[in-house]
Amino acid sequence: MANKKRVIALTALAASAAMLLASCTSNDTSASTSASAAPVTLTWWHNAIAGADGKNLTGDYWQKVADDYTALHPNVTFKIEQIETNDLQRTRIPAALQSGDAPDIFQAWGGGEMVQQVNAGYLMDLTDKIPAAIKELGSSAAGWSVAGKQYGMPYTFGIEGIWYHKSLFDKAGITGTPKTMDELNADVTKLKAAGVTPIAVGASDKWPAAHWWYNFALRSCSTDVIQASNTAFDFSDPCFVAAGKDLQAFIDTKPFQDQYLSSKAQQDPTSAAGLVGTGKAAMELMGHWELGQYEGFQADDAAKATLDADMGWFNFPATSSGAGDPTAVLGGGDGFACYKDAPAECADFLAYLTSVDVQKGFAAIPGNLPVNPGAADQIASPQLKQLADVRASAGYVQLWLDTYYGTNVGGAMNDGIVALFGGTGTPQGIVDGMTAAAATQ
Amino acid sequence: MTLKTNSRRPVKGPTPGLWARYRAYLSRTGLSPSASNYFSIGVAIAGVGLTLGPIIYLVLGGFKDLHQYAMNPSGLPDPFLFRNYWGILSTGLFWRQMLNSAFIAIVTTVGVVILGTMAAYPLARYKFKGREVLYGVFVAGLMFPLTVAILPLYLMIHSWGLVGNPFGVILPQIAFALPVTIIIMRPFVAALPKELEEAAFIDGVTRIGYFWRILLPLARPGMVTVGVLAFIGSWNSYLLPLLILAGDPAHMTLPLGVTAFKGQHGSDNTAIMAFTSLSMVPALIFFIFMERRIVEGLTGAVKG
Amino acid sequence: MTFTTASGKGNGPVVGAKASAAGPRPGSPKNKQPGNASARKWAEIGLFVGPALLVFLVFVVYPVISAVRYSFYKWNGVKQFSEAEFVGLDNYRRALFGQGIFKKAYTEPFLTALSHNFEIIALSMAIQLPLALLVALILNRQFRGRTVVRVIIFAPYVLSEVITGVMWFVILDPNGIATRIVEALGLHSPAGGWFEDVHWGFWTMFFVVSWKYLGLAIILFLAGLSGVSKELQEAAAIDGASWWQIQRRINIPLIGPTIRIWAFLSIIGSIQLFDMVWVLNRGGTQGQYSTVASYMMDKGFYRSDWGYGSAIAVIMFLISLVVAIGYMLVILRRDNSTTAKN
């Protein structure tokens, strides 16, 4: 273990030295200032959990990344705060930005929220500061750019699809994975006949249910309509209502577990992740991180290995109609942004954090999916490898719609979708709620 | 509580002779103490069961591991596993968060009781122009919950550099607990015999001297009651600490600690149950210790 | 809380407005002091009230006034407030009189949340009050373990909402112990789950709230009963009154002021109910047990719609104020006039 850490530290050192060289040759002035000796403390707010019992989790890794960076740049020290995601996103960051005394580096999810932060003038424009690092991340960085300028750097970007138990599919006599909604519906029927809950959804948390609609919308609406919809906020295209109707038809086949409105996404054994993790439900629509969640419900390493071998993954099926690209996928990630008044070292640190070798260390943590293509070979899990391939070959990658539209329209959308799941909403109601919210922002 | 009717006449404790006769009457009329007591005890047991049942379930859940919990959520732990509890108690964080909660609650309580009683005195005893308006301003504070003012409050505390500082929580908590304190203390102070005050003034005691030397000791039952309320309010408060203290677990109070723990041990429900059970303990101990003081305070107020 | 005690001068709690309207109280001496004594008096008043007033103005009044100011603006809480757009009463209109898609998206959920608050008030009076009173009357006697019972029944009141919420979530989980018990009895648990079922969610929430706050009512009533003169009860008993007659004619009327003050606190608490509802799932996925405060947080602040959220806060304040003043004028006034008669 100690050896491994040292190796990572060494490679990280080499990587950052290489990057310094690279950025110097590209006439990047900020990099040279970062080498100056004036002491700088960077405050850093992130949501990654550190392992309480010596687990190697992302939170521990960020501490190590900071320590390594300090080793390379002795003038730069860090003050790190780990904050729970909801608190961080909804209260701490907005309030800190308001007060004019924000942390230098903070979690950024991209999309509509970032647009608001950029419009308010809170974020540092990274475009000309770390061009090489931005270029290295490729298309995945696009979600953290506004009007052609880069304001944040993602460190992970995953896509979602449907996780399933191969053994339960076998039990129900299902061969292969469904490519179309018709096939999925047939599989649902077979699973029910075999006494298995076909699909788990954590509707109590709203967003896991909402993602079903996102996927139907992505199949129903053309890429152009989706792309235009977060600037004009015009949802009058009938494809949005059609997505709700498709979802309604699907809900009517009763594919989900009993009392799905009460199930959380993760955490307890009766959550959606718990139902799949304990083999009670066969499928779940969820992001790349879910395998790690399923593993959390296994008693020991042997059970984990059995589960890992049993879990498969397939892309959201194609619908019979709709203008969407059938290979388009939804995805999202986490990144960091620099506050406008942050020291120049902040940008350099983000470049370091997303560099190949730091990303390799990140990818070595189970369940993590790096964003830097250079680190892809570090992904151990076959399912995550498959996901990375699908991401690379997808016709179009759309950011989670709630993130994409921002908290206001996104929140209205999720509320409308859950109401549809609960039987009190309508396909038109979802779109009306979004339109109303857009008119007030 | 209340009962003005009696407070004009000093009410002595129940005279044993009378009480005995009352009980004798009860038995005469068929409502014998034993029969009606059984009924009372039945109600008491039902109430206790409904109250303690959920809490015991939570405590027992903490003795299971995740596998046991998934297989057998409702039964007794088999075997009892102390891992969850020991894991929490053996790390310093739980104790640290308990100390944070205690410090914040104690300073808040002392502040509220002193400031509130001080303000209640002139509001009850001085005649001055605008007194009722001033009182009305404090009372109106009761109608405005903290949620309403939270963002401006945060911005202000942030600009004073008090984020992450316990006093960033304590000062607003004192302010928001003042209305109820003043509402309780004003009639309480007003109920103290006026003759006492007049006698003190004749003896040359100043108003301030009267306040410190005579009023404060006399007002103690009321102060204990408002103090206990303020303490409980502070101990349980969530939204304000969430904004001011979140971030570093070492600065958190216990309710925040519970949610943070829940976030960190997402899939480990039994550990969450253990942590939640443990974080109940200080409040319950405080309460068992103080419950008599509350009732004393309440009855004291009645006898005023 | 409580303590009307006894000034005997018609100065009950929370009745500032009334007392001032009534002019100087009988027997209050006119300002007899000479000038410098008056200055001294004001200095003393300042010394006593000043610190509390300062803390109150800075940490309550100023933020509240800021919230009122926000309510007239369209502000996403991200940009600086100075750049927010003034929209007059638009936010209020959207909450109360929205038309078309706004009616469905804003006004109806708001009115639903508001109606929940009033349902909670009504249910508290119809269910919590009689239940707490009955338990208090039954427990108002000597029996072994009485103190322990009182302590235990009161205990939920001191538990924080977070802890109570987490606890009940575990118990009322779809596959939790509550569901198992109900199904063992041959019944069905709500189709959407205890909290999330559109029809049952509100009742489940009311049950959890009652679990936490019923003990407070019982203890308040018991404390009130402990002050009722035993001589009176005894005298009635000698006159041949039954247990129930004693309760109905003596105990209940005599703790009337306690009951009315509990009711006042319960009403204000019901209008402002937030922590518990928020910790259980933010008012529910479909707002089935939302309250005005949870609606404010969920649809206002969590949606970066700060102006709108502030308008909801102001509406909530106005409702509390009207209800409180009305209650004081109509109900608590009686207590004061009753006192005068005594």
Side-chain angles (χ1 to χ4, degrees):
Chain A
M1 194 64 208
N3 266 342
K4 194 179 164 197
K5 271 192 175 160
R6 193 168 305 148
V7 170
I8 292 172
L10 281 174
T11 52
L13 192 107
S16 118
M19 188 139 53
L20 263 177
L21 278 174
S23 46
C24 281
T25 49
S26 67
N27 277 336
D28 191 327
T29 47
S30 71
S32 48
T33 51
S34 79
S36 71
V40 167
T41 301
L42 294 174
T43 50
W44 181 10
W45 289 3
H46 67 73
N47 70 347
I49 293 161
D53 40 2
K55 287 181 204 157
N56 181 20
L57 295 178
T58 307
D60 302 308
Y61 186 62
W62 287 157
Q63 184 63 54
K64 195 188 102 58
V65 169
D67 294 343
D68 291 350
Y69 191 81
T70 302
L72 290 167
H73 307 270
N75 65 318
V76 181
T77 51
F78 290 87
K79 191 167 167 272
I80 300 178
E81 282 193 35
Q82 187 274 329
I83 302 168
E84 192 271 324
T85 307
N86 249 320
D87 299 345
L88 184 66
Q89 187 173 18
R90 301 290 182 214
T91 51
R92 296 297 303 280
I93 290 175
L97 291 174
Q98 274 295 310
S99 70
D101 182 19
D104 299 308
I105 308 163
F106 53 89
Q107 198 89 20
W109 291 267
E113 186 178 68
M114 183 167 254
V115 173
Q116 286 187 335
Q117 290 170 352
V118 169
N119 289 344
Y122 293 135
L123 302 188
M124 182 187 281
D125 181 358
L126 306 171
T127 320
D128 300 325
K129 291 199 163 69
I130 46 171
I134 295 167
K135 197 167 167 225
E136 205 178 337
L137 296 187
S139 63
S140 299
W144 283 256
S145 67
V146 177
K149 308 243 182 206
Q150 195 73 25
Y151 290 95
M153 295 290 278
Y155 59 84
T156 180
F157 194 96
I159 55 168
E160 73 178 350
I162 295 176
W163 292 94
Y164 72 101
H165 275 287
K166 292 172 189 163
S167 58
L168 292 177
F169 269 37
D170 287 346
K171 186 180 165 194
I174 300 167
T175 48
T177 55
K179 301 278 184 296
T180 65
M181 279 310 293
D182 291 340
E183 289 176 31
L184 181 63
N185 286 331
D187 292 348
V188 164
T189 312
K190 283 182 191 165
L191 284 162
K192 276 194 201 166
V196 176
T197 301
I199 304 174
V201 62
S204 166
D205 283 331
K206 292 187 184 175
W207 59 267
H211 279 233
W212 281 93
W213 188 88
Y214 303 171
N215 278 284
F216 279 115
L218 200 63
R219 295 282 176 264
S220 163
C221 297
S222 71
T223 307
D224 289 343
V225 169
I226 295 268
Q227 278 183 329
S229 62
N230 89 322
T231 45
F233 289 104
D234 176 4
F235 307 107
S236 58
D237 192 301
C239 70
F240 289 103
V241 176
K245 285 181 178 157
D246 288 347
L247 174 59
Q248 180 75 70
F250 185 62
I251 293 171
D252 288 345
T253 69
K254 300 197 188 310
F256 301 112
Q257 80 273 24
D258 285 345
Q259 303 191 0
Y260 56 81
L261 283 175
S262 289
S263 293
K264 295 203 147 304
Q266 297 162 359
Q267 301 198 348
D268 50 82
T270 57
S271 66
L275 290 174
V276 176
T278 55
K280 294 197 175 85
M283 292 183 265
E284 188 190 14
L285 170 66
M286 198 41 78
H288 69 272
W289 57 80
E290 203 66 351
L291 189 59
Q293 289 291 328
Y294 300 147
E295 287 174 350
F297 292 97
Q298 311 312 312
D300 50 38
D301 287 347
K304 264 182 203 167
T306 312
L307 176 99
D308 286 350
D310 193 38
M311 293 311 298
W313 186 94
F314 59 89
N315 195 4
F316 196 87
T319 49
S320 51
S321 61
D325 180 342
T327 67
V329 290
L330 274 157
D334 289 281
F336 291 111
C338 290
Y339 184 56
K340 62 171 172 165
D341 296 335
E345 282 81 354
C346 182
D348 184 61
F349 176 69
L350 290 191
Y352 170 72
L353 191 138
T354 52
S355 63
V356 172
D357 291 277
V358 177
Q359 281 267 289
K360 279 186 175 169
F362 176 78
I365 299 165
N368 278 356
L369 194 59
V371 75
N372 192 317
D377 60 353
Q378 284 293 310
I379 305 170
S381 146
Q383 290 94 339
L384 289 188
K385 274 208 177 86
Q386 184 195 351
L387 252 95
D389 291 344
V390 172
R391 182 180 76 187
S393 62
Y396 175 60
V397 178
Q398 169 60 42
L399 192 62
W400 312 130
L401 288 184
D402 50 355
T403 312
Y404 186 58
Y405 293 137
T407 48
N408 198 342
V409 176
M413 173 175 64
N414 287 1
D415 283 353
I417 296 167
V418 172
L420 190 73
F421 268 81
T424 56
T426 61
Q428 185 65 44
I430 299 169
V431 176
D432 286 349
M434 294 163 74
T435 309
T440 65
Q441 68 179 9
Chain B
M1 313 254 70
T2 61
L3 303 184
K4 316 168 192 160
T5 6
N6 305 318
S7 54
R8 301 289 293 185
R9 280 182 286 155
V11 175
K12 303 210 179 71
T15 320
L18 281 178
W19 187 240
R21 274 158 59 198
Y22 177 52
R23 286 166 68 92
Y25 152 78
L26 282 179
S27 70
R28 248 198 341 271
T29 51
L31 278 166
S32 75
S34 58
S36 58
N37 267 7
Y38 285 132
F39 186 57
S40 294
I41 288 167
V43 171
I45 288 172
V48 167
L50 277 173
T51 309
L52 283 189
I55 298 175
I56 289 171
Y57 178 71
L58 195 72
V59 172
L60 288 179
F63 286 106
K64 298 176 184 175
D65 64 15
L66 206 54
H67 188 68
Q68 256 193 60
Y69 181 70
M71 295 301 124
N72 175 27
S74 47
L76 282 175
D78 180 32
F80 272 81
L81 300 169
F82 293 87
R83 206 165 51 199
N84 287 328
Y85 286 103
W86 181 243
I88 293 160
L89 292 174
S90 60
T91 55
L93 199 59
F94 174 78
W95 299 104
R96 180 66 203 259
Q97 291 175 345
M98 197 170 90
L99 278 181
N100 292 339
S101 274
F103 175 77
I104 289 174
I106 288 169
V107 178
T108 300
T109 305
V110 170
V112 166
V113 169
I114 291 178
L115 292 187
T117 310
M118 278 168 65
Y121 175 50
L123 286 172
R125 276 297 160 81
Y126 281 56
K127 314 279 181 275
F128 61 92
K129 219 177 153 184
R131 185 180 74 166
E132 298 307 326
V133 173
L134 186 61
Y135 181 62
V137 168
F138 280 119
V139 171
L142 196 64
M143 317 294 162
F144 236 119
L146 186 65
T147 30
V148 170
I150 195 70
L151 181 79
L153 199 56
Y154 177 85
L155 296 181
M156 189 167 72
I157 289 165
H158 195 286
S159 69
W160 293 356
L162 286 180
V163 166
N165 185 320
F167 282 91
V169 175
I170 289 168
L171 287 169
Q173 277 187 356
I174 290 177
F176 275 88
L178 274 175
V180 81
T181 306
I182 290 174
I183 288 167
I184 293 177
M185 290 311 292
R186 176 167 125 140
F188 197 94
V189 170
L192 297 175
K194 204 157 171 92
E195 296 75 17
L196 204 64
E197 197 174 351
E198 279 154 10
F201 294 155
I202 290 167
D203 289 350
V205 178
T206 62
R207 288 262 195 188
I208 293 163
Y210 169 77
F211 177 82
W212 284 111
R213 300 222 302 271
I214 300 170
L215 188 144
L216 278 190
L218 284 178
R220 243 187 58 192
M223 290 165 69
V224 167
T225 308
V226 293
V228 168
L229 291 178
F231 189 93
I232 294 170
S234 167
W235 186 273
N236 290 342
S237 71
Y238 178 62
L239 188 61
L240 195 60
L242 173 67
L243 283 174
I244 309 295
L245 302 178
D248 185 354
H251 289 160
M252 287 182 182
T253 56
L254 267 184
L256 273 188
V258 170
T259 50
F261 188 87
K262 196 161 173 271
Q264 291 216 349
H265 299 74
S267 56
D268 196 350
N269 228 17
T270 58
I272 293 167
M273 289 166 94
F275 196 97
T276 311
S277 302
L278 284 175
S279 60
M280 282 182 177
V281 172
L284 290 178
I285 288 177
F286 165 81
F287 168 72
I288 288 167
F289 180 68
M290 293 307 285
E291 199 265 353
R292 281 162 71 179
R293 303 293 299 270
I294 301 175
V295 176
E296 263 172 37
L298 296 176
T299 46
V302 173
K303 287 174 186 166
Chain C
M1 313 242 64
T2 97
F3 302 111
T4 333
T5 10
S7 66
K9 288 200 195 106
N11 181 27
V14 207
V15 227
K18 200 208 93 185
S20 66
R25 297 132 156 233
S28 74
K30 291 279 169 215
N31 194 352
K32 296 180 273 199
Q33 289 126 323
N36 66 340
S38 170
R40 187 189 157 85
K41 187 185 84 172
W42 282 107
E44 284 170 6
I45 292 170
L47 188 74
F48 281 122
V49 182
L53 190 63
L54 182 73
V55 168
F56 188 73
L57 288 177
V58 171
F59 291 102
V60 178
V61 176
Y62 168 75
V64 160
I65 289 173
S66 305
V68 174
R69 209 157 51 103
Y70 297 163
S71 74
F72 300 114
Y73 287 81
K74 178 192 271 194
W75 182 36
N76 64 14
V78 176
K79 62 186 169 198
Q80 294 295 317
F81 180 65
S82 54
E83 292 166 25
E85 180 193 346
F86 182 83
V87 294
L89 292 172
D90 271 9
N91 291 324
Y92 292 92
R93 215 169 288 138
R94 178 149 51 111
L96 296 169
F97 311 109
Q99 295 299 320
I101 56 172
F102 295 100
K103 184 174 182 201
K104 191 97 180 122
Y106 291 96
T107 309
E108 281 180 6
F110 172 67
L111 294 180
T112 302
L114 185 62
S115 73
H116 288 157
N117 288 91
F118 283 101
E119 280 167 43
I120 292 165
I121 293 175
L123 289 172
S124 301
M125 298 305 132
I127 296 176
Q128 283 184 8
L129 172 60
L131 199 61
L133 193 58
L134 193 66
V135 172
L137 292 174
I138 290 168
L139 296 185
N140 182 34
R141 60 173 66 220
Q142 301 300 327
F143 59 87
R144 200 170 293 173
R146 179 182 131 109
T147 315
V148 176
V149 169
R150 286 166 60 141
V151 167
I152 289 172
I153 287 180
F154 195 12
Y157 177 68
V158 297
L159 298 180
S160 85
E161 280 82 354
V162 175
I163 288 168
T164 314
V166 170
M167 185 179 84
W168 281 103
F169 243 115
V170 172
I171 293 169
L172 294 169
D173 189 271
N175 288 338
I177 186 166
T179 307
R180 286 184 187 219
I181 290 173
V182 165
E183 276 165 9
L185 295 172
L187 304 168
H188 292 286
S189 60
W194 294 98
F195 284 111
E196 297 303 337
D197 189 272
V198 186
H199 307 291
W200 284 94
F202 175 80
W203 293 97
T204 308
M205 183 273 290
F206 181 72
F207 170 79
V208 175
V209 169
S210 298
W211 183 84
K212 182 156 161 53
Y213 290 104
L214 202 61
L216 172 71
I218 294 173
I219 293 301
L220 287 184
F221 296 162
L222 274 175
L225 287 169
S226 77
V228 173
S229 145
K230 299 281 189 285
E231 290 98 322
L232 263 176
Q233 300 181 33
E234 196 245 353
I238 288 169
D239 288 348
S242 69
W243 180 86
W244 174 241
Q245 280 174 323
I246 293 177
Q247 307 310 322
R248 204 163 66 96
R249 306 263 176 200
I250 299 175
N251 280 340
I252 295 177
L254 281 181
I255 63 163
T258 308
I259 295 173
R260 284 189 281 275
I261 285 168
W262 168 80
F264 175 75
L265 294 171
S266 172
I267 289 171
I268 293 295
S270 302
I271 292 175
Q272 298 179 352
L273 189 64
F274 172 73
D275 281 12
M276 178 68 85
V277 168
W278 193 249
V279 171
L280 298 173
N281 198 16
R282 294 180 188 168
T285 47
Q286 298 170 84
Q288 64 273 20
Y289 55 88
S290 58
T291 62
V292 173
S294 78
Y295 176 86
M296 171 185 84
M297 206 65 176
D298 195 36
K299 300 292 181 285
F301 303 151
Y302 267 58
R303 285 219 195 141
S304 299
D305 204 351
W306 283 87
Y308 184 65
S310 299
I312 301 292
V314 173
I315 294 172
M316 178 163 72
F317 170 68
L318 292 176
I319 292 172
S320 314
L321 199 66
V322 167
V323 170
I325 290 175
Y327 191 86
M328 282 184 286
L329 289 182
V330 176
I331 312 253
L332 292 184
R333 168 177 243 166
R334 257 183 44 191
D335 290 348
N336 293 304
S337 52
T338 322
T339 319
K341 266 182 258 159
N342 292 337

